[in-house]
Amino acid sequence: MTVATPLPIMEHTNPFESMMSRFDIAAKMIGLDDDTYNMLRSPAKQVIVNLPVTMDNGSIRVFEGFRVVHNINLGPGKGGIRYAMDVDLNEVKALAAWMTWKTAVVNIPFGGAKGGIKCDPRSMSKGELERLTRAYTSALSDVFGPEKDIPAPDMGTGQQEMAWLMDEFSKIKGYSSPAVVTGKPLVLGGSKGRVEATGRGVMVTARSAMNRLKINPQTSTAAVQGFGNVGSISAKLLATQGIKIVAISDVSGAYYNSSGIDVQDAMNYAEMNNRSLEGYVHAEKISNEELLTLDVDVLVPAALQDQIGAHNAGRIRAKLIVEGANGPTMASADDILDENGIMVVPDILANAGGVTVSYFEWVQNRLGYYWTEERVNRRADRTMKEAFDTVYQTAQKYQTNMRIAAYIVAIEKVANTQKLRGGF
Ligand code: NAD
């Protein structure tokens, strides 16, 4: 009898399960009652819209769009809009809940929301994308609003889509309403410091964690997965702290140099090379999988979700993981990382610098007064440091890891406001 070679175990997660498995542990630890649990599990509002759009060839295509507002106890809904073919209601629901916890962890007065359109933005012309964005805004003009629900960019969208959204919303209302959306171009009311905000928050929380772990930045090394907005800026700012960046990566592969990589040089190279590190010669090429298990002090996954799971968690040698990406660690890895004494600064804390500066953008729009970059950075750094300390102290109090502690901080805050507001 021949024994078939076992297939590698593929780990599948969906964002909702991934979030809820951690939520459940935290809810149990704080003894959350069933009524509050059920309320926090369910989104407050889910909207599906069908958007007819005239394509460049004269045909009309109907796109499906979603917006979910998960919770508004702490303030208006806040969350990005994703343009991708695999967007569905389940994913948007999970991401909206994630935003509720993220804004609560960094203590900003927003709830959680998320939106998406099932489309392939790379195959659409600028005109088609503009008509689609305007149709989406118009269909959701009663959902969005500076006091109600404030979108932002996410995968497949950027400053241009936010400018169209702001313009369409303002036309419908009959007055200029920059505070309806964040992530706008600077000239239309965007905030200084927004582009670097997420990477900056990664650096600040990494520094706080290194202090607690007594890792000296001057003698430490880091590997960063992903070289887009979050990865490249995290790497650049970690290097300014004296940390030697020995590996970087993007979709083309990973690049390793034990003597350290000049991050600005790599950024310049990618900029000139269609945003790709392909062919970067000042480092040895390794795989993205190898990057994750390098012998470094700090590992920053800043590319995709589901990168660290039961299949590779046991081989991770970093002392500290700082999650620049959303959901890079699967729930199946949590116990293994704990057992090996690896501290994980979870996504809802580590990458919340972006939403923090989005909050500052909204504040500036409402004030009609714009801050210097220095002021934005100073306030964002303070917010991130305080959030880190609160989560760290909570982890000590409950004798748990930083991820569950971050959920505890968020759930307690949202649950308390739910009780105070009452009205059921
Ligand atoms: P981006 O599109 O600017 O960059 C993504 C990077 O990941 C690119 O360098 C790409 O080449 C790389 N990549 C893609 N597939 C890869 C693979 N298989 N292996 C290794 N690298 C791969 O995106 P971004 O804005 O930097 O976002 C990265 C992550 O951070 C996402 O999970 C996003 O949700 C999260 N995030 C971003 C922000 C923000 O402000 N941009 C805020 C919070 C969280």
Side-chain angles (χ1 to χ4, degrees):
M1 196 177 81
T2 48
V3 179
T5 316
L7 290 169
I9 300 165
M10 298 301 288
E11 293 184 65
H12 294 286
T13 63
N14 84 40
F16 194 70
E17 280 168 16
S18 165
M19 187 267 296
M20 282 312 296
S21 61
R22 278 80 170 239
F23 178 93
D24 284 350
I25 298 171
K28 207 167 164 185
M29 274 190 185
I30 57 172
L32 192 70
D33 63 273
D34 288 349
D35 292 341
T36 312
Y37 177 87
N38 287 331
M39 281 188 279
L40 295 185
R41 220 189 123 90
S42 324
K45 189 186 288 181
Q46 306 178 56
V47 186
I48 303 179
V49 288
N50 287 304
L51 310 165
V53 173
T54 305
M55 306 305 280
D56 289 347
N57 66 7
S59 67
I60 292 175
R61 246 182 86 185
V62 182
F63 293 88
E64 198 176 16
F66 309 91
R67 186 74 184 171
V68 174
V69 180
H70 174 258
N71 190 287
I72 52 165
N73 283 4
L74 294 171
K78 184 87 194 86
I81 302 171
R82 181 169 284 197
Y83 286 5
M85 280 313 288
D86 55 5
V87 164
D88 63 26
L89 187 61
N90 204 35
E91 179 183 74
V92 178
K93 263 167 66 176
L95 296 170
W98 223 327
M99 287 305 297
T100 302
W101 315 132
K102 199 181 282 193
T103 53
V105 166
V106 283
N107 206 18
I108 56 178
F110 282 148
K114 202 84 184 187
I117 303 179
K118 200 185 262 295
C119 68
D120 176 11
R122 278 162 307 180
S123 70
M124 295 170 71
S125 71
K126 194 169 178 191
E128 289 168 344
L129 284 171
E130 176 170 357
R131 292 191 288 280
L132 177 63
T133 305
R134 289 187 185 278
Y136 180 73
T137 308
S138 165
L140 290 166
S141 60
D142 286 339
V143 175
F144 295 150
E147 311 281 355
K148 290 162 85 176
D149 177 14
I150 306 138
D154 193 66
M155 274 162 54
T157 59
Q159 293 192 348
Q160 178 61 78
E161 286 74 17
M162 301 308 112
W164 290 326
L165 195 154
M166 187 270 246
D167 183 72
E168 187 66 22
F169 185 85
S170 298
K171 280 184 178 139
I172 292 167
K173 297 295 166 189
Y175 51 85
S176 183
S177 183
V180 69
V181 63
T182 62
K184 298 178 291 293
L186 212 52
V187 286
L188 290 177
S191 178
K192 291 198 170 129
R194 174 65 188 88
V195 172
E196 297 212 326
T198 306
R200 199 176 166 85
V202 168
M203 179 272 283
V204 170
T205 52
R207 280 301 313 268
S208 292
M210 290 168 86
N211 270 342
R212 300 282 184 176
L213 295 172
K214 308 215 176 333
I215 303 174
N216 177 0
Q218 305 299 326
T219 55
S220 68
T221 54
V224 180
Q225 185 191 49
F227 209 61
N229 172 278
V230 182
S232 66
I233 290 165
S234 300
K236 185 175 93 174
L237 296 178
L238 288 171
T240 64
Q241 303 297 303
I243 300 162
K244 194 200 290 178
I245 309 297
V246 294
I248 54 174
S249 82
D250 68 6
V251 70
S252 74
Y255 302 82
Y256 172 73
N257 185 337
S258 59
S259 314
I261 290 171
D262 179 343
V263 180
Q264 190 57 54
D265 177 65
M267 286 171 86
N268 296 345
Y269 178 84
E271 192 59 40
M272 305 287 289
N273 193 37
N274 211 7
R275 294 182 187 279
S276 170
L277 288 168
E278 179 78 71
Y280 188 64
V281 291
H282 301 300
E284 175 196 342
K285 189 142 182 203
I286 58 171
S287 69
N288 260 293
E289 185 62 30
E290 285 171 305
L291 176 144
L292 295 172
T293 55
L294 285 174
D295 188 7
V296 288
D297 297 291
V298 186
L299 174 65
V300 180
L304 306 169
Q305 61 189 48
D306 294 350
Q307 295 301 294
I308 301 167
H311 65 285
N312 61 359
R315 286 183 284 120
I316 288 187
R317 287 183 282 171
K319 300 182 188 82
L320 169 67
I321 299 175
V322 187
E323 296 185 335
N326 282 319
T329 308
M330 293 180 253
S332 63
D334 289 351
D335 287 347
I336 303 171
L337 297 172
D338 280 353
E339 277 157 23
N340 292 341
I342 300 169
M343 182 193 274
V344 180
V345 184
D347 43 14
I348 55 172
L349 168 62
N351 70 35
V355 74
T356 300
V357 174
S358 276
Y359 163 55
F360 296 160
E361 178 176 337
W362 177 81
V363 168
Q364 291 169 77
N365 293 153
R366 286 157 61 96
L367 283 173
Y369 173 74
Y370 289 85
W371 302 352
T372 59
E373 184 158 357
E374 192 268 328
R375 186 180 215 185
V376 171
N377 288 344
R378 185 164 25 91
R379 292 188 174 199
D381 290 358
R382 189 170 64 203
T383 301
M384 295 304 292
K385 274 191 199 131
E386 283 174 4
F388 179 94
D389 289 344
T390 305
V391 171
Y392 187 84
Q393 281 148 15
T394 305
Q396 306 272 295
K397 179 175 163 194
Y398 286 89
Q399 287 297 298
T400 187
N401 62 39
M402 290 288 284
R403 189 188 309 283
I404 299 302
Y407 275 89
I408 290 176
V409 168
I411 295 169
E412 276 187 333
K413 192 170 297 162
V414 180
N416 285 342
T417 53
Q418 186 108 10
K419 290 202 182 89
L420 283 168
R421 291 173 75 134
F424 315 116

